[in-house]
Amino acid sequence: MTNKIRCLIIDDDPSARAITKSLIAQDDRLECIGECEGSTEGALSITKNKPDLVFLDLMMPGLDGYEVLEVIEYNPKIIVVTSSEDYKSDTLSHLISGYIYKPVKNLELFKEAVDTAIKKDLN
C-alpha cells in the first residue's frame, strides 16, 4: 500500500505510547508520524501535521482528550485509548471513530478499532 494512514499518538503515559507505536508498526496500512506526551502539544501537532488518524488518551493533565477535540480545527479520525468506561456519555462522542481499552496489547483488537475508524469515513 503506497498511501499509508498517517497516525499521531497523544498519551501522557510513555509505556502506552510505546505499545501503541509498536502496534502501528505491525499494521502495514499505518505509519506513525509522531507522538505527544501532552494534550496541548497534541492539539498543536494535529493542527500542524494533519494526521489521518489520532490515538488519543482521554485522561491527561491539562486539557483532557475531549478538550483537545474542542480546540482543534482539523478533524482527523480519532481512536480513544482509555482505561475509563465513562467516555460514551460525552457530547463529543460523535467525533470519535473508535475505542481501545488500556492496556492495548492485542493486535487483532487494535486492527478492529482501526478498521472501524476507516469504515466510519465511508458511511
Side-chain angles (χ1 to χ4, degrees):
M1 180 178 222
T2 56
N3 294 329
K4 291 195 175 198
I5 297 167
R6 301 170 62 248
C7 302
L8 177 69
I9 303 165
I10 305 173
D11 198 317
D12 62 320
D13 180 348
S15 63
R17 285 195 315 272
I19 290 168
T20 303
K21 190 172 183 178
S22 171
L23 291 167
I24 289 170
Q26 295 176 59
D27 189 326
D28 291 339
R29 303 170 294 175
L30 309 177
E31 72 173 318
C32 183
I33 62 166
E35 51 184 281
C36 303
E37 65 181 65
S39 52
T40 302
E41 174 191 4
L44 291 171
S45 186
I46 289 171
T47 300
K48 178 182 177 188
N49 297 308
K50 297 186 175 20
D52 303 311
L53 181 60
V54 174
F55 293 90
L56 177 65
D57 183 17
L58 289 182
M59 308 304 257
M60 292 182 285
L63 298 176
D64 66 24
Y66 289 116
E67 290 169 318
V68 169
L69 295 176
E70 290 175 340
V71 300
I72 60 173
E73 293 181 18
Y74 175 77
N75 292 313
K77 296 289 178 201
I78 303 289
I79 295 180
V80 167
V81 182
T82 185
S83 55
S84 170
E85 293 191 25
D86 294 334
Y87 59 81
K88 289 187 178 178
S89 63
D90 193 278
T91 57
L92 294 173
S93 62
H94 68 282
L95 297 174
I96 297 169
S97 301
Y99 299 89
I100 302 174
Y101 285 104
K102 289 181 181 180
V104 184
K105 294 189 178 175
N106 183 308
L107 182 59
E108 292 309 312
L109 291 177
F110 176 84
K111 285 185 175 187
E112 285 178 24
V114 171
D115 290 342
T116 299
I118 293 169
K119 289 175 185 171
K120 193 167 187 174
D121 188 34
L122 301 174
N123 296 335

